[in-house]
């Protein structure tokens, strides 16, 4: 029976956290939504369960409702401690959803205080003096300032969070963290912080371990996947899922992300892989016909050279976003999600057994369209990115395919060409 339950606000974040938990000794399963928690044999055998939601950019009321539903499902499965996982770049808006969801979860577990820890040094995200840095740049000076859904125009986590929450927002500095777990625990237990969301500095992995050790008595913690570095599960050396596919099985890259990291990965992929860019006008005119053409392209690529997976992508230049933002409906982002999800369904039906999906929103759409219920964590590819076996039925081998769900901001430039080498 699991004891640790996590709620992730997107699918890439769910696999990001799950792979960290496996490395820390937790037998971990990711469920697609709250409904997949009950009655699944993989959940019953797990130490930790991560519920993947598509709530990061959902309306606030919807994000809160789905997060509370996940909490109820995790409690019913036996979980006693909870982890709200959001992106290490604190993707949000002045309305939410990080603050409202945290408030609702705190109320539901009858707590008044929670730490806020977006730092994840292994992916270049650090917090110093309450400011979030991305590879040393303030968040609002990084490429995240151009994010099409959650443009980040401030690097002060407290200022970002304050308009979203009913709790006071406080800060604990790096000096206190570096004083050790007991000193930090005492600071966090101070009555002055008893009814607050507390942003905690961290610039190194050891800082995250200290924060984790100081908050073991908290029923709810919030942060990026890095906070799990300080956890110790009951099964050191917990095994990872073996690949469901075999070398040479049909594979495809589906990229809907517009992030700077993914655009660089697309550029590298275009130089090495057969590729096709989504045509927004064609999708708007006849989405089904466009998907049919893309599926035909991918199948031709498999026949020509199965060692080079085709790349189907949405954005390779920021000007694509300007051209797409012309007020037409449905929005270009909606068309991209629909098209790539439809491609995934058709391609898996045609034999694809390996899918690398780039972008949180795209990953959610693809996994939902495929009818996946659970993900078991396989071989890691890069910090924050892993292969997982996706089961589409109630058993782990039912229609299983290997998927890698890559946050737009994560992964090396060559990930679209090199990720396949780590699959057994």
């Amino acid at each position: 029976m699991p004891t640790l339950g996590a709620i992730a606000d997107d699918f890439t974040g769910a696999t990001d956290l799950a792979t960290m938990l496996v490395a820390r000794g937790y037998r971990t399963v990711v469920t697609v939504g709250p409904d997949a928690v009950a009655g699944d044999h993989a959940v019953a055998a797990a130490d930790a369960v991560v519920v993947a939601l598509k709530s990061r950019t959902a309306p606030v009321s919807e994000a809160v409702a789905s997060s509370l539903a996940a909490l109820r499902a995790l409690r019913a499965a036996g979980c006693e401690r909870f982890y709200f996982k959001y992106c290490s770049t604190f993707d949000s808006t002045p309305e939410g959803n990080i603050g409202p969801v945290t408030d609702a979860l705190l109320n539901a577990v009858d707590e008044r205080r929670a730490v806020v820890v977006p730092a994840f040094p292994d992916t270049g995200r650090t917090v110093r003096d309450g400011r979030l840095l991305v590879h040393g740049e303030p968040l609002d000076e990084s490429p995240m300032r151009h994010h099409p859904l959650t443009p980040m125009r401030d690097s002060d986590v407290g200022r970002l969070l304050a308009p979203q929450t009913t709790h006071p927002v406080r800060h604990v500095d790096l000096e206190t963290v570096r004083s050790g777990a007991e000193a930090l625990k005492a600071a966090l237990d101070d009555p002055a912080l008893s009814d607050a969301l507390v942003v905690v500095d961290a610039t190194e992995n050891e800082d995250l371990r200290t924060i984790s050790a100081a908050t073991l008595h908290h029923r709810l913690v919030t942060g990026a996947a890095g906070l799990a570095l300080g956890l110790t599960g009951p099964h050191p050396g917990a095994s990872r899922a073996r690949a469901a596919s075999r070398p040479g099985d049909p594979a495809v890259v589906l990229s809907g992300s517009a992030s700077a990291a993914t655009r660089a990965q697309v550029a590298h992929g275009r130089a090495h892989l057969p590729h096709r860019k989504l045509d927004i006008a064609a999708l708007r005119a006849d989405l089904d016909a466009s998907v049919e053409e893309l599926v035909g392209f991918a199948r031709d690529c498999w026949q020509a050279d199965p060692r080079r997976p085709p790349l189907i992508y949405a954005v390779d230049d920021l000007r694509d976003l300007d051209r797409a933002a012309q007020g037409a409906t449905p929005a270009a982002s909606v068309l991209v999600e629909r098209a790539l999800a439809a491609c995934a369904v058709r391609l898996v039906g045609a034999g694809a057994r390996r899918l690398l999906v780039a972008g949180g929103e795209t990953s959610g759409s693809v996994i939902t369209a495929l009818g996946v219920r659970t993900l078991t964590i396989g071989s890691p590819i890069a910090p924050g990115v892993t292969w997982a076996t996706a089961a589409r039925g109630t058993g782990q081998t039912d229609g299983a395919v290997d998927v890698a769900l890559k946050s737009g901001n994560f992964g090396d430039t060559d990930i679209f060409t090199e990720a396949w080498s780590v699959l057994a």
Side-chain angles (χ1 to χ4, degrees), residues 23-160:
R24 300 304 305 158
Y26 289 85
R27 296 173 304 189
T28 306
V29 63
V30 177
T31 71
V32 178
D35 293 344
V37 175
D40 191 283
H41 76 277
V43 170
D47 304 310
V49 180
V50 182
V51 178
L53 301 177
K54 198 170 184 292
S55 60
R56 179 170 297 170
T57 58
V60 171
S61 60
E62 182 180 320
V64 168
S66 62
S67 300
L68 290 175
L71 179 68
R72 289 192 295 271
L74 291 167
R75 278 178 150 168
C79 298
E80 300 172 346
R81 191 164 185 251
F82 305 96
Y83 192 135
F84 173 36
K85 195 276 178 196
Y86 41 78
C87 187
S88 55
T89 46
F90 210 73
D91 299 9
S92 197
T93 69
E95 293 74 35
N97 290 333
I98 294 173
V101 170
T102 300
D103 287 355
L105 294 175
L106 276 173
N107 184 62
V109 299
D110 198 25
E111 292 277 1
R112 297 169 59 197
R113 167 211 52 203
V115 292
V116 176
V117 190
F120 193 175
D122 284 350
T123 60
R125 279 67 165 163
T126 57
V127 178
R128 182 70 184 262
D129 299 324
R131 300 178 72 213
L132 180 52
L133 307 177
V134 179
H135 297 293
E137 285 186 308
L139 178 65
D140 56 330
E141 298 176 19
S142 78
M144 282 301 297
R145 69 186 183 275
H146 298 304
H147 194 285
L149 298 177
T150 53
M152 304 310 296
R153 304 288 167 74
D154 198 344
S155 63
D156 188 295
V157 179
R159 283 200 301 262
L160 289 168

Side-chain angles (χ1 to χ4, degrees), residues 124-209:
R125 279 67 165 163
T126 57
V127 178
R128 182 70 184 262
D129 299 324
R131 300 178 72 213
L132 180 52
L133 307 177
V134 179
H135 297 293
E137 285 186 308
L139 178 65
D140 56 330
E141 298 176 19
S142 78
M144 282 301 297
R145 69 186 183 275
H146 298 304
H147 194 285
L149 298 177
T150 53
M152 304 310 296
R153 304 288 167 74
D154 198 344
S155 63
D156 188 295
V157 179
R159 283 200 301 262
L160 289 168
L161 186 56
Q164 306 178 32
T165 176
T166 60
H167 289 77
V169 180
R170 302 289 184 253
H171 170 241
V172 170
D173 62 21
L174 192 61
E175 182 179 359
T176 304
V177 175
R178 296 280 170 85
S179 298
E182 286 301 318
L184 177 57
K185 178 178 180 296
L188 292 172
D189 288 344
D190 188 294
L193 301 183
S194 64
D195 183 20
L197 303 187
V198 187
V199 178
V200 186
D201 283 356
T203 64
E204 298 177 3
N205 285 346
E206 192 58 38
D207 300 329
L208 295 175
R209 295 187 182 97

Side-chain angles (χ1 to χ4, degrees), residues 36 66 100 289 342 344 352 358 406 415:
S66 62
K406 187 198 81 69
I415 193 170

Side-chain angles (χ1 to χ4, degrees), residues 68 114 170 183 347 372 377 400:
L68 290 175
R170 302 289 184 253
L347 290 171
V372 172
I377 301 304

Side-chain angles (χ1 to χ4, degrees), residues 29 40-43 244 374-376 389-400:
V29 63
D40 191 283
H41 76 277
V43 170
T374 61
L375 296 161
T376 51
T389 299
R392 294 188 288 154
T394 56
Q396 290 302 297
T397 59
D398 293 349

Side-chain angles (χ1 to χ4, degrees), residues 233-399:
H235 293 91
S239 62
R240 297 177 178 270
R242 297 185 62 179
S245 61
R246 295 173 297 180
D249 279 352
V252 65
V253 181
L254 302 172
S255 176
S257 173
S259 75
T262 300
R263 296 199 308 274
Q265 292 156 357
V266 165
H268 183 272
R270 290 176 59 193
H272 295 87
L273 301 174
H275 54 274
R276 188 67 57 88
K277 187 176 183 179
L278 297 182
D279 183 331
I280 299 300
L283 291 174
R284 185 164 279 124
D286 191 337
L287 189 141
D288 290 341
S290 295
V291 167
E292 184 69 24
E293 190 275 332
L294 292 165
V295 170
F297 158 72
R299 297 184 71 170
D300 289 345
C301 293
W302 293 340
Q303 291 184 352
D305 186 353
R307 297 168 301 176
R308 298 173 69 223
L311 164 64
I312 300 174
Y313 68 96
V315 177
D316 56 9
D317 190 297
L318 274 180
R319 287 173 294 184
D320 293 332
L321 301 180
D322 296 330
R323 288 190 289 267
Q326 301 301 320
T329 55
S333 59
V334 173
L335 288 170
V336 166
E337 287 189 41
R338 289 177 182 172
L340 293 179
C343 284
V345 172
R346 290 289 311 280
L347 290 171
V348 168
R353 290 296 175 265
R354 298 178 168 199
L355 283 72
L356 197 167
V357 186
E361 299 298 316
T362 304
S363 294
S365 294
V366 165
I367 292 299
T368 301
L370 288 172
V372 172
R373 286 182 54 84
T374 61
L375 296 161
T376 51
I377 301 304
S379 301
I381 301 169
V385 190
T386 186
W387 284 106
T389 299
R392 294 188 288 154
T394 56
Q396 290 302 297
T397 59
D398 293 349

